[in-house]
Amino acid sequence: MRMDTVIMGGGLSALTCGIALAKRGQRVAIVASGQSTLLFNGGSMELLGCVDGKAVTSPLEAIAALPAEHPYSKLGADRISELASEAHSLLTDAGIVMEGKADANHWRITPIGVAKPAWLTLSSHFSIDSLGELPCKRLALMCIRGFFDQPNGMLAEGLKGLGFEVDKLEFTTDEITALRRSPSEMRANSLAKRLVSNASLQRVADEINRLAADADMVLFPSVLADEDVIQTLKSMVKKPLRLVATLPPAVSGNRMQALLRHYFRMLGGNYLMGDTVVSGTLEGDRLTSVTTAKLGDMPLRADNFVLATGSFVSKGLVADYGRVYEPILDLDVDADADREQWTRFGVLEPQAYSRYGVKTDAGLHCLKQGKPIQNLRAIGSVLSGHDAIKMGDGTGVSLLTALAAAQSILATK
Amino acid sequence: MADKMQICNISENNFEQCTKCSICTTVCPVAAVTTDYPGPKQAGPDGERYRLKDPAYYDKMLKLCLNCKRCEVACPSGVHIADIIQSARMKAGEGKRASLRDTMLANTDLLGMVANKVAPLANATLGLAPTKLVMHSVMAIDKHRTFPAYSRTKFETWFKRHAQSRQDAYPKHVSYFHGCYVNYNFPKLGQDLVKLMNAMGYGVHLLDKEQCCGVALIANGLYKQAKRQGRVNAASIRQTVNTDHRTVLTTSSSCTFNLRDEYPAILGIDTRDVRDNIMLATRFIYRLIDEEKVKLVFKKDYQRRIAYHTACHMQRMGWQLYSIELLRMIPGLDLQELEQECCGISGTYGFKKENYERSQAIGSVLFKHIADAQVEAVATDCETCKWQIEMSTGLPVENPISILADALDVEATRQANGL
Ligand code: SF4
Ligand code: SF4
């Protein structure tokens, strides 16, 4: 089967790149092995959150000072602003409504109540522009009885630490209580499937209005399936209402993924869910086709290929007892040869492995034995030289490298 | 040593690969609508740990699993969640004493054979209010369901009378596993396949012995019978592949998935040697066109807007691409691919009284997408999805093969292929 471009991997970077290409009329196939880590996203995108342990105020300024091996440096610091605004509009077109600026971070609140710098946050979610100037004083933190995915105690302590007054208000309704019969299912995505009808939302709103009469703002766990449901609940609640991220898998991530996938399909893109690229055929400095587990002896041929297979969690990188490698084509990777260097004691310490990834040239072309493969570009978490956890640059790298790769593919035509 | 350790660590259904990420729980259509079902993670890898310690941990609610495989498609770690659940059901001896209703629903061919002989009567009777009420209360088959109409002439009978004698004259040949639905309910789909393949220069042949593939038997826990029928099918397929050197084509995604993957995984019938020779007709045809071995020419005046629905087993096989890309070749066809959601019928599941409401609740998301798509028909490769979507949306549902046959300019196609 012949495509213009085949993208390996199905997460944020793959979908972004696929949409950008399909919009310009390309025939694109995305090969997605299962769901991606986008499902864990609590509703924010980060461009650059932290450098050397210090929070970044202006990502655009800080990016200019990053070392040469960082993916942003490869794109060119002068292009970041334009790529960032293109990414923002692509998300908006897909129906993902987010707010934020590339030259000034705001603060998102993690499910355990930590404030972290962010670039974009869903408009329906709680965020703070400046920690010195809180938007209000008294927060009502709505706590659903028996709910697994929100550590209320930690969240409340975190918010208090920022200077808010917090009332933890526990509540339930008949629908929610019914769900507790299967305790393992008392999760965010299960709740999202039940809290849909106007009647069930009204029962929730009645509880909020009864309990939170004194609050300036109501914080509600992000367990609402879509924008319509959110707007309905907001209209029923008397106080201003914002959502707070829950532990993953997150409803917001699930929704963002569905919207991007839908947009891609509407543009005629092929999203091959649950299939995996197992090998590829190289001819000289070009990749001519890839074989997937399910399409079997009918390989996917294309002019261009994109590697968006993610990091270790998504199996875009694999570590065995001896080495770190890229499993499809055994591409060159940036990783320490000595296994002792991979990790360091203490989960919260910076870990060397989180910067590992495939090597690329300045045009994001993958390398094999030092030579670039001319029609294979790498994007997103599989790239080396960045650290989603310690630098808060994961989603930004995914979005921006995806758009840059799409631009360079379109330019080769 | 390192290599060996990796291998020793992998169990039959690789449940130890589960990272507890809970992603599977977000896609299970059953857990979405009922709290009675523990969900794929709990029913699959988590429960398996306990069941290995003591079979008494088996949870009867595992029978609610549709075996739709959506959890497996979503799992980023490749855990065979639904296989774990089916094996656990089988080990627990479920279905040893299947009810009359389950036996009747599971035996799609038996039911078909009887109904077929008395088709006008059966269609009238199965549709009558009193009959439906008796079925609802005595047999526990839901009264809202309309039984798919039975055809008066079986596909096999039609084929032998009207088509068989012409087939040897074609230069190339394929075999056809038609399945119960084509044989008893909807021979037109089989006729459409014959029309399409003939126009491309391929003769179509029946298998030596074809029995129901058994997908419904497995779902209803009748594993022994499924194995018996499976062995007959495997032998016939092996014979045509090895002796006649023919590929075996199918027009039902569930039959295909069952023959290729469930036979070895669940029934222990090893079909891996012929697996690559069993395929959906859309994949076979797509490949011929892709390799420029055949051409399809379509009518100039064909104009339709259709939505494509990916059946669960189709999604598991990952082959919707072929059906979609073939349909996109028809110039006047405006095709919209629907988001992949379960329609809720899952074979015979939705026919059972106790499942009816759950089945409709599961399907509601898909029905809404279909309404939003504003189409005149829906295309899908699964016959039970067809019943469910037709009943629930009122739109006609057609197999891609029928749409292709309908849009085909037969004479021009024959000429283009040198006939
Ligand atoms: S998706 Fe796979 S790895 Fe994740 S919990 Fe389910 S079975 Fe385990
Ligand atoms: S096979 Fe379908 S019904 Fe069964 S656990 Fe998996 S997703 Fe749920």
Side-chain angles (χ1 to χ4, degrees):
Chain A
M1 181 168 286
R2 179 145 208 109
M3 294 285 154
D4 292 324
T5 301
V6 169
I7 302 174
M8 306 173 240
L12 180 62
S13 62
L15 281 162
T16 306
C17 186
I19 288 169
L21 292 169
K23 241 162 105 179
R24 298 281 297 273
Q26 279 218 343
R27 264 166 62 79
V28 185
I30 290 182
V31 188
S33 350
Q35 304 269 3
S36 75
T37 48
L38 183 52
L39 210 68
F40 300 158
N41 189 297
S44 293
M45 304 288 175
E46 304 162 304
L47 211 43
L48 185 63
C50 237
V51 173
D52 301 328
K54 280 197 214 73
V56 167
T57 351
S58 167
L60 288 183
E61 270 169 39
I63 283 170
L66 287 173
E69 70 268 16
H70 194 282
Y72 288 149
S73 306
K74 290 185 179 168
L75 300 183
D78 50 332
R79 284 175 70 201
I80 300 297
S81 161
E82 168 219 320
L83 288 169
S85 72
E86 195 186 327
H88 194 171
S89 13
L90 183 143
L91 293 168
T92 313
D93 292 347
I96 302 170
V97 190
M98 302 186 102
E99 275 162 33
K101 298 191 211 89
D103 56 5
N105 274 332
H106 60 260
W107 299 86
R108 68 179 173 104
I109 306 296
T110 70
I112 54 170
V114 179
K116 289 213 167 187
W119 158 41
L120 299 171
T121 293
L122 289 173
S123 307
S124 50
H125 280 226
F126 184 58
S127 67
I128 303 165
D129 282 343
S130 146
L131 291 182
E133 250 175 89
L134 298 182
C136 59
K137 191 76 192 146
R138 188 150 185 196
L139 298 174
L141 177 62
M142 301 310 298
C143 309
I144 299 173
R145 189 172 301 150
F147 181 40
F148 259 33
D149 290 334
Q150 184 169 301
N152 297 314
M154 289 169 95
L155 181 54
E157 284 313 307
L159 291 166
K160 280 182 199 157
L162 296 173
F164 292 104
E165 284 171 21
V166 184
D167 297 318
K168 279 193 293 171
L169 304 172
E170 194 184 61
F171 80 101
T172 190
T173 67
D174 289 350
E175 270 101 352
I176 297 172
T177 309
L179 199 57
R180 292 188 70 186
R181 265 188 65 199
S182 170
S184 59
E185 290 303 301
M186 195 59 185
R187 311 290 305 263
N189 280 282
S190 324
L191 279 165
K193 283 168 186 148
R194 262 95 183 169
L195 300 180
V196 176
S197 74
N198 281 358
S200 58
L201 293 170
Q202 188 61 58
R203 279 189 282 274
V204 171
D206 289 347
E207 284 302 291
I208 299 176
N209 289 334
R210 183 173 69 82
L211 294 165
D214 301 333
D216 298 332
M217 185 182 273
V218 175
L219 298 188
F220 192 78
S222 175
V223 297
L224 300 176
D226 59 38
E227 205 51 42
D228 289 347
V229 177
I230 297 170
Q231 289 311 329
T232 310
L233 185 66
K234 271 186 159 182
S235 70
M236 291 170 172
V237 171
K238 294 192 183 111
K239 302 281 168 166
L241 178 134
R242 293 284 180 280
L243 303 182
V244 279
T246 67
L247 294 173
V251 175
S252 48
N254 203 358
R255 181 76 190 152
M256 289 195 255
Q257 175 172 265
L259 286 168
L260 288 168
R261 221 166 37 205
H262 181 67
Y263 188 27
F264 178 63
R265 285 205 173 110
M266 292 285 288
L267 293 165
N270 292 298
Y271 192 89
L272 309 185
M273 179 70 182
D275 202 353
T276 312
V277 173
V278 288
S279 63
T281 309
L282 286 164
E283 276 172 30
D285 61 359
R286 296 185 74 80
L287 180 61
T288 52
S289 68
V290 292
T291 302
T292 80
K294 293 193 175 157
L295 303 182
D297 59 357
M298 287 176 71
L300 289 168
R301 288 168 288 132
D303 298 331
N304 286 288
F305 293 84
V306 177
L307 188 76
T309 42
S311 187
F312 295 101
V313 206
S314 313
K315 299 201 167 78
L317 294 176
V318 177
D320 65 13
Y321 294 91
R323 64 184 190 128
V324 172
Y325 62 97
E326 185 286 310
I328 301 174
L329 293 160
D330 202 6
L331 300 165
D332 296 354
V333 294
D334 273 320
D336 293 298
D338 175 10
R339 197 176 165 205
E340 294 294 309
Q341 304 297 318
W342 295 356
T343 51
R344 120 150 56 141
F345 188 75
V347 246
L348 297 178
E349 292 299 306
Q351 300 289 343
Y353 71 82
S354 60
R355 286 169 171 266
Y356 294 169
V358 298
K359 278 190 183 145
T360 62
D361 66 8
L364 301 178
H365 297 100
C366 300
L367 308 180
K368 190 163 164 83
Q369 282 148 9
K371 289 201 205 71
I373 300 172
Q374 294 305 335
N375 63 341
L376 174 63
R377 292 161 181 84
I379 59 174
S381 308
V382 74
L383 288 166
S384 67
H386 69 116
D387 187 336
I389 296 171
K390 286 292 159 194
M391 297 176 77
D393 57 5
T395 38
V397 165
S398 289
L399 286 162
L400 271 48
T401 55
L403 291 174
Q407 283 181 8
S408 102
I409 287 171
L410 290 165
T412 56
K413 274 275 158 171
Chain B
M1 152 73 178
D3 292 351
K4 276 204 194 105
M5 271 178 80
Q6 291 282 22
I7 293 163
C8 291
N9 271 329
I10 292 172
S11 69
E12 199 184 332
N13 281 318
N14 64 354
F15 76 90
E16 72 291 339
Q17 299 282 313
C18 172
T19 60
K20 311 291 165 209
C21 69
S22 297
I23 281 178
C24 53
T25 63
T26 66
V27 298
C28 175
V30 181
V33 296
T34 174
T35 52
D36 293 343
Y37 186 59
K41 174 167 165 280
Q42 180 61 33
D46 287 5
E48 189 69 6
R49 285 167 182 273
Y50 288 104
R51 293 189 292 264
L52 282 176
K53 284 207 182 91
D54 184 350
Y57 281 110
Y58 177 74
D59 178 350
K60 283 207 290 297
M61 283 304 144
L62 259 57
K63 70 166 184 269
L64 294 182
C65 169
L66 301 171
N67 197 23
C68 70
K69 311 275 182 194
R70 301 188 83 81
C71 49
E72 290 185 3
V73 174
C75 173
S77 304
V79 179
H80 299 174
I81 311 164
D83 286 355
I84 297 174
I85 298 170
Q86 299 320 306
S87 309
R89 287 176 59 183
M90 188 141 68
K91 265 190 221 134
E94 218 186 86
K96 268 192 193 135
R97 287 183 307 268
S99 69
L100 170 62
R101 188 271 320 262
D102 287 6
T103 311
M104 176 178 139
L105 281 175
N107 278 280
T108 44
D109 51 351
L110 196 74
L111 193 65
M113 209 143 50
V114 179
N116 211 263
K117 295 233 160 62
V118 289
L121 188 68
N123 290 336
T125 325
L126 290 170
L128 281 179
T131 319
K132 282 192 168 185
L133 267 182
V134 170
M135 295 212 300
H136 187 84
S137 50
V138 181
M139 303 279 288
I141 291 171
D142 195 272
K143 63 175 179 288
H144 297 89
R145 291 280 163 205
T146 316
F147 258 79
Y150 285 96
S151 161
R152 197 196 275 265
T153 321
K154 283 195 298 183
F155 171 72
E156 286 182 357
T157 314
W158 170 86
F159 183 82
K160 283 175 188 151
R161 275 194 209 140
H162 303 288
Q164 195 160 37
S165 60
R166 289 184 279 117
Q167 301 304 317
D168 286 336
Y170 288 97
K172 285 167 276 181
H173 302 275
V174 289
S175 288
Y176 179 35
F177 185 97
H178 49 68
C180 305
Y181 166 71
V182 164
N183 206 22
Y184 301 110
N185 302 110
F186 202 64
K188 178 172 178 297
L189 174 53
Q191 292 161 4
D192 287 338
L193 181 79
V194 174
K195 172 178 163 186
L196 203 56
M197 296 312 296
N198 285 175
M200 294 185 295
Y202 278 81
V204 177
H205 304 270
L206 302 184
L207 292 176
D208 185 31
K209 278 201 191 93
E210 176 182 324
Q211 300 209 332
C212 166
C213 75
V215 68
L217 294 168
I218 296 175
N220 284 287
L222 297 163
Y223 301 107
K224 254 208 194 129
Q225 195 188 342
K227 277 186 198 165
R228 224 168 27 235
Q229 297 183 189
R231 281 193 209 103
V232 174
N233 287 329
S236 296
I237 291 170
R238 216 162 258 136
Q239 189 232 325
T240 195
V241 169
N242 295 336
T243 319
D244 312 326
H245 305 290
R246 287 179 195 150
T247 302
V248 180
L249 301 191
T250 53
T251 43
S252 152
S253 46
S254 285
C255 295
T256 319
F257 178 64
N258 205 33
L259 294 170
R260 285 168 50 96
D261 295 322
E262 300 283 75
Y263 274 24
I266 294 183
L267 298 180
I269 302 173
D270 197 347
T271 46
R272 282 172 298 180
D273 56 324
V274 286
R275 185 174 183 266
D276 288 346
N277 303 89
I278 307 168
M279 69 178 83
L280 268 175
T282 50
R283 182 177 195 262
F284 186 79
I285 298 170
Y286 186 90
R287 161 178 267 175
L288 292 177
I289 297 173
D290 197 41
E291 293 173 352
E292 297 180 3
K293 289 185 180 145
V294 303
K295 284 201 183 75
L296 292 182
V297 186
F298 295 102
K299 292 175 189 159
K300 300 245 163 6
D301 54 353
Y302 192 84
Q303 283 290 341
R304 288 178 93 191
R305 178 164 161 83
I306 292 181
Y308 181 83
H309 161 65
T310 305
C312 292
H313 288 161
M314 190 72 164
Q315 186 197 40
R316 178 68 176 82
M317 282 194 295
W319 283 1
Q320 68 279 4
L321 187 62
Y322 302 118
S323 294
I324 291 171
E325 288 295 314
L326 271 181
L327 290 174
R328 286 195 174 133
M329 289 177 191
I330 305 175
L333 190 109
D334 180 5
L335 189 82
Q336 181 58 58
E337 185 189 352
L338 293 164
E339 281 304 297
Q340 299 181 348
E341 300 283 354
C342 177
C343 77
I345 186 93
S346 206
T348 55
Y349 183 92
F351 275 87
K352 301 175 186 175
K353 186 167 76 175
E354 69 273 24
N355 295 340
Y356 178 78
E357 274 177 27
R358 211 165 19 238
S359 164
Q360 293 313 104
I362 291 171
S364 61
V365 185
L366 175 71
F367 307 149
K368 186 172 178 304
H369 286 315
I370 294 176
D372 290 348
Q374 304 212 324
V375 288
E376 56 199 276
V378 177
T380 189
D381 291 87
C382 171
E383 58 275 8
T384 55
C385 295
K386 171 181 158 81
W387 301 334
Q388 171 78 339
I389 297 171
E390 285 186 340
M391 183 195 91
S392 311
T393 67
L395 287 174
V397 179
E398 296 164 37
N399 188 291
I401 292 294
S402 291
I403 297 173
L404 289 164
D406 199 24
L408 195 73
D409 182 333
V410 178
E411 255 330 293
T413 303
R414 285 177 61 89
Q415 275 173 22
N417 293 298
L419 295 178

